[in-house]
Amino acid sequence: MSALGTLEELPLSYRQSLTDLNLLPLWPSLRNFLPYEKPIRETAPVLWRYDDIRPLLLQAGELTPIEKAERRVLVLANPGLGLEKVRATPTIYLGLQLILPGETAPNHRHTPSAIRFAVEGAGAYTVVEGEKLPMERGDLILTPPKLWHEHGHEGTGPVIWLDALDLPLIHDIEASYCIDGATQTLANVPDSSQTSYRRAGLLPYAALDQQKRDFPLLRFPWSDVREALMAYAQGCGPVEPIRLAYINPETGAECLPTLGFSALMLRPSEEVALKRRSASAIFHIIEGGGDANVDGTELTWSEADTFAAPTHADIRIRNGSSKEPAFLFTVDDAPMQRRLGIYEEFSNVPDGV
Ligand code: 1HN
């Protein structure tokens, strides 16, 4: 490997001629674009504490009426990437959104894919394509690309949820835009997590001969996911990680084209070393407290905190309680990387060992 030539080695007049013609020599920056062995990662392993954010978000509720915000959100921005980049990882946008009793966030649809993960409060809902989806603590709600969605709050007290979007990618490829619409007409039935897809392993009979749908299930209630994790734990060996993926019940594939979702349970005092993966990820604490080590950075987490991990990171997560399990929700960009044919797992450190 010989050292590549630098920009400074080139005569000034030559460099100026290139600039005048909108040209650049590749070789001085080739290694930035194509480093050996591992990508250059600017994403910082960083933790956002809910207790820090919550009062500021409630203050935003007083400072900014919903009509002036459309969506009242504080963005969890990664300092390694630059706060102005508005991203938690290179591909994952994260924000905490506040809605107060009686407020509505108007109907729109857009090219980025989004999810909501309910953090605090009760009585709020999202409507996606006419389906009213209650948002109870820990529920995952999908708002897939280009589908109409709006939010409302019929309860008392503030409701806060975590938004995750593939906005960084869609914006960077200059494909991000939205369309506003009139309030949707509601289908007056419970959401499909309570009807057609009430139980894993069962589908409406007619679905067998119909074309598989991209987004048949839009709400994953936490009460079901928690129960599934507890049951799954009994079938897992002592070193296997208790981790369930959220999927499309008709195809078995990931829920959204770009982002993947999972729920991870840590037994009391358990420490999990995750496989090193090419995907970037965020972890949000549903229940419990503990610590994590992300590429050598120690993070101490408690309920409703969120932390980010860069691509190719070494990640260890430890439940700090010797009595209670801990539950984490994760978002990663593995589906996007799989579609691009670049997703990798490095099995030198197997999950759970
Ligand atoms: C959006 O549509 C929502 O619908 C929240 O609640 C956050 C951030 C960027 C772009 C669109 C929502 C968003 C967003």
Side-chain angles (χ1 to χ4, degrees):
M1 278 178 268
S2 61
L4 298 174
T6 65
L7 205 55
E8 293 68 36
E9 284 167 9
L10 298 168
L12 257 181
S13 59
Y14 177 75
R15 285 153 64 181
Q16 191 57 52
S17 310
L18 295 179
T19 306
D20 292 345
L21 293 169
N22 299 322
L23 297 170
L24 271 178
L26 173 63
W27 58 95
S29 53
L30 180 61
R31 271 310 142 240
N32 291 338
F33 292 107
L34 218 50
Y36 289 115
E37 304 299 339
K38 226 187 224 189
I40 295 168
R41 288 124 355 112
E42 288 173 344
T43 306
V46 60
L47 176 108
W48 294 269
R49 292 182 64 244
Y50 189 64
D51 284 350
D52 291 338
I53 303 169
R54 188 178 184 278
L56 294 170
L57 191 53
L58 292 177
Q59 213 180 333
E62 291 160 17
L63 295 170
T64 307
I66 194 79
E67 298 75 27
K68 286 205 158 189
E70 219 172 281
R71 303 298 196 255
R72 194 189 287 109
V73 177
L74 293 179
V75 177
L76 280 53
N78 193 301
L81 297 168
L83 300 185
E84 71 290 351
K85 292 280 192 185
V86 191
R87 58 196 64 183
T89 80
T91 51
I92 304 171
Y93 159 101
L94 282 185
L96 279 167
Q97 181 162 175
L98 169 70
I99 188 161
L100 295 169
E103 288 184 340
T104 55
N107 189 30
H108 72 180
R109 61 196 193 98
H110 44 65
T111 47
S113 297
I115 61 107
R116 331 277 153 209
F117 193 84
V119 177
E120 176 182 331
Y125 61 88
T126 291
V127 182
V128 179
E129 297 285 321
E131 189 174 344
K132 187 173 178 180
L133 306 157
M135 301 171 93
E136 286 161 24
R137 221 180 77 75
D139 289 358
L140 169 66
I141 308 285
L142 309 181
T143 57
K146 293 182 165 170
L147 299 193
W148 291 110
H149 59 279
E150 63 194 284
H151 317 299
H153 184 0
E154 294 163 330
T156 53
V159 165
I160 297 173
W161 65 75
L162 183 71
D163 291 312
L165 285 85
D166 60 6
L167 183 69
L169 172 83
I170 305 301
H171 182 259
D172 283 358
I173 64 170
E174 299 188 348
S176 179
Y177 74 98
C178 87
I179 298 171
D180 285 342
T183 287
Q184 298 168 66
T185 306
L186 301 185
N188 200 15
V189 287
D191 74 272
S192 71
S193 74
Q194 305 306 306
T195 57
S196 309
Y197 304 98
R198 184 70 191 86
R199 206 173 199 301
L202 292 173
L203 276 184
Y205 186 75
L208 290 175
D209 291 311
Q210 284 163 4
Q211 201 183 353
K212 307 238 178 304
R213 296 192 297 152
D214 287 337
F215 311 111
L217 179 61
L218 298 172
R219 174 175 177 238
F220 297 78
W222 171 238
S223 55
D224 293 346
V225 179
R226 192 181 194 283
E227 213 175 279
L229 285 165
M230 298 289 282
Y232 180 49
Q234 296 175 27
C236 284
V239 296
E240 276 174 81
I242 307 159
R243 188 173 189 180
L244 291 173
Y246 295 79
I247 56 150
N248 173 336
E250 291 197 358
T251 64
E254 292 121 338
C255 304
L256 291 177
T258 47
L259 300 178
F261 314 101
S262 78
L264 176 68
M265 172 174 152
L266 300 177
R267 301 165 181 94
S269 300
E270 184 176 16
E271 176 164 348
V272 179
L274 299 180
K275 274 182 199 163
R276 199 159 69 79
R277 295 181 163 90
S278 60
S280 67
I282 69 92
F283 297 80
H284 173 79
I285 289 75
I286 310 168
E287 266 181 62
D291 44 71
N293 189 298
V294 179
D295 271 348
T297 300
E298 280 289 334
L299 306 168
T300 303
W301 45 264
S302 52
E303 198 161 294
D305 293 352
T306 306
F307 62 91
T311 62
H312 294 253
D314 285 312
I315 304 170
R316 305 177 74 84
I317 309 176
R318 194 182 67 86
N319 181 356
S321 168
S322 58
K323 297 194 174 66
E324 305 295 334
F327 296 93
L328 288 84
F329 170 67
T330 81
V331 181
D332 65 38
D333 62 3
M336 173 187 318
Q337 292 202 359
R338 286 197 190 95
R339 280 181 161 73
L340 295 171
I342 61 167
Y343 179 70
E344 289 179 278
E345 293 185 348
F346 304 92
S347 55
N348 51 329
V349 185
D351 269 4
V353 173

